[in-house]
Amino acid sequence: MRRLYHNTLSPTARKVRVALSEKRLEYEIVIEETWVRNESFLARNPEGEVPVLEEPAGAILCDPSAICEYLEEVYPDPPLLGTDPRHRAEVRRLVAWFDRKFNREVTEPIVQEKLLKRIISGGAPDSRLIRAGRANVHTHLKYISWLIDRRRWLAGDVLSYADITAACHLSLIDYAGDMPWDEHPQAKEWYALIKCRPSFRPLLAEVVPHIPPPRHYSDLDF
């Protein structure tokens, strides 16, 4: 059986999980708490980060971008990277936007302070970082709205890794209770389409022990 080494608080692990489901590939999840040293896991990925994909024949793939490119080459249906060179370039650009810029400006300060810190150390969150993440998210939601105003999906006419990547990051901010959806109705409408997809619903059913999400988090109609 194909295995995905995963942690629900990792946006990139979420992305690979959704991609596997979109491509209708069977897999089992192995939960990996990357903050706890695990020699068996380090043997698979010396970097010690999720996601890691272990194929049925034994091949082990690390790094979310490498995994997604691999899935696109080996399992091209349905295409998630784009349908032509220009489309693929735009998908890759937006994937980098959310995995780098959004992650740095929003996901890391909010998820690290409000969720991971409670799990790992029980320490008090840094309110300055949380406020910065909450302020920054508006810029990104405005950008999503701008894109959706001009396209059916973020990168073009079809669902792609751009949508999956963005939605996986936003889902974690939503879990933390820091998504100002009512101020960005166009982005909210786009996210609702992602929430309703069968590939995405299992993410919304997962709960971090002792840290429940807001009531609307798993509600497909908000």
Side-chain angles (χ1 to χ4, degrees):
M1 172 65 76
R2 179 179 292 105
R3 291 191 180 95
L4 175 64
Y5 292 83
H6 170 82
N7 187 283
T8 194
L9 294 181
S10 165
T12 54
R14 286 185 165 220
K15 171 171 61 176
V16 171
R17 181 175 175 181
V18 172
L20 288 168
S21 296
E22 285 288 336
K23 290 181 176 293
R24 300 180 294 276
L25 298 172
E26 294 185 357
Y27 62 96
E28 65 179 12
I29 290 175
V30 180
I31 299 298
E32 193 62 42
E33 297 179 341
T34 52
W35 52 89
V36 178
R37 187 174 181 85
N38 181 343
E39 296 296 340
S40 176
F41 180 65
L42 289 172
R44 291 175 168 84
N45 182 11
E47 188 180 7
E49 298 292 339
V50 292
V52 171
L53 183 65
E54 187 170 351
E55 284 283 72
I60 296 175
L61 301 142
C62 308
D63 180 81
S65 295
I67 294 171
C68 289
E69 294 274 354
Y70 166 85
L71 292 176
E72 201 67 12
E73 292 183 12
V74 180
Y75 310 104
D77 183 37
L80 295 176
L81 188 56
T83 53
D84 60 63
R86 291 180 65 182
H87 188 194
R88 286 193 288 273
E90 179 66 351
V91 171
R92 289 186 175 107
R93 182 187 74 83
L94 289 170
V95 166
W97 175 286
F98 287 98
D99 274 346
R100 296 175 189 170
K101 184 175 176 63
F102 187 94
N103 187 65
R104 180 178 64 251
E105 296 178 356
V106 183
T107 307
E108 282 190 355
I110 289 179
V111 173
Q112 177 70 36
E113 295 302 317
K114 294 192 70 174
L115 302 176
L116 278 170
K117 188 175 282 188
R118 285 182 62 182
I119 295 170
I120 298 171
S121 66
D126 187 330
S127 60
R128 294 171 301 173
L129 293 176
I130 294 172
R131 284 196 300 270
R134 287 171 176 168
N136 290 335
V137 76
H138 288 280
T139 299
H140 293 278
L141 289 174
K142 288 177 183 177
Y143 187 43
I144 287 172
S145 298
W146 186 87
L147 290 169
I148 291 300
D149 192 47
R150 290 156 177 77
R151 305 165 176 177
R152 183 179 179 187
W153 296 96
L154 291 187
D157 292 334
V158 295
L159 178 85
S160 72
Y161 278 123
D163 303 279
I164 295 170
T165 303
C168 286
H169 280 274
L170 293 177
S171 67
L172 286 174
I173 309 308
D174 199 28
Y175 192 104
D178 289 308
M179 284 300 299
W181 290 122
D182 291 342
E183 298 179 48
H184 303 276
Q186 202 163 8
K188 179 180 179 180
E189 183 177 348
W190 161 82
Y191 183 64
L193 295 176
I194 305 288
K195 283 179 79 172
C196 291
R197 298 185 74 85
S199 63
F200 207 80
R201 292 178 197 171
L203 296 180
L204 303 177
E206 291 186 347
V207 176
V208 179
H210 312 300
I211 310 177
R215 292 182 62 183
H216 73 266
Y217 173 74
S218 59
D219 183 356
L220 301 184
D221 295 322
F222 280 91

